[in-house]
Amino acid sequence: MRTALQILAGAHTIAVVGASRDPQKPAHWVPGMLQEQGWHIVPVNPHADSILDEHAYARLADVPMHVDVVEVFRPPDEAPEIVRAAAAIGAGAVWLQLGLVSPDARQIAGEAGLDYVEDVCMGQERALHDMLHGCEQPHCRVYHGNPPTPDIRS
């Protein structure tokens, strides 16, 4: 079983189940930050046509490309079915965001041979290790410094 850091370091494509169109929600800005840092984000939301300038799919089974990690922003009671769907599409890992825990999903992932992370923010993990994927330098607006302070002496 890979660690959270190993999973993220080896990922190229991250399907985000429960991706949000609302920029105030973590289900929007966490995947947005990962996208800025070079990961390919695939939103999965049956109520959206596009999120983060990417085509949104209604369900994991509709995603036409290989998915390395399925990031979950849905209630824990939905996690077991999402893990089953992730296994069905050949994903390598399932990652439940901060605050999400599901013993049933954990068991299903183990039985399916999927790497599994729960109750960990993917954005925080990325920031803690200042990890980039396919980018030359960090430019994330969320985690890299504060905006410049205006000069109040003028």
Side-chain angles (χ1 to χ4, degrees):
M1 177 84 59
R2 295 180 295 166
T3 66
L5 180 59
Q6 290 168 331
I7 292 167
L8 191 53
H12 297 283
T13 301
I14 302 170
V16 183
V17 177
S20 176
R21 293 174 288 190
D22 183 348
Q24 300 301 311
K25 291 186 175 183
H28 181 89
W29 58 259
V30 170
M33 180 268 306
L34 292 167
Q35 183 183 54
E36 287 177 356
Q37 298 301 308
W39 282 272
H40 178 215
I41 298 301
V42 179
V44 178
N45 180 327
H47 307 292
D49 293 326
S50 70
I51 297 172
L52 298 168
D53 295 324
E54 295 283 350
H55 178 76
Y57 297 90
R59 53 196 188 110
L60 279 173
D62 297 334
V63 176
M65 74 273 308
H66 174 72
V67 171
D68 298 303
V69 181
V70 174
E71 182 180 23
V72 180
F73 282 95
R74 298 295 303 151
D77 63 326
E78 295 180 25
E81 189 55 40
I82 294 168
V83 171
R84 288 184 190 96
I89 66 166
V94 174
W95 189 308
L96 274 60
Q97 274 299 118
L98 190 63
L100 302 179
V101 175
S102 173
D104 292 339
R106 186 182 325 115
Q107 181 179 346
I108 294 165
E111 291 169 358
L114 295 173
D115 290 319
Y116 183 82
V117 176
E118 63 183 12
D119 196 21
V120 175
C121 177
M122 193 179 278
Q124 287 177 340
E125 188 71 15
R126 191 234 42 102
L128 286 171
H129 298 283
D130 203 25
M131 184 186 305
L132 303 172
H133 187 77
C135 293
E136 293 180 19
Q137 63 183 13
H139 62 275
C140 179
R141 295 184 301 264
V142 176
Y143 289 101
H144 284 279
N146 296 318
T149 306
D151 186 354
I152 57 173
R153 295 174 288 176
S154 5

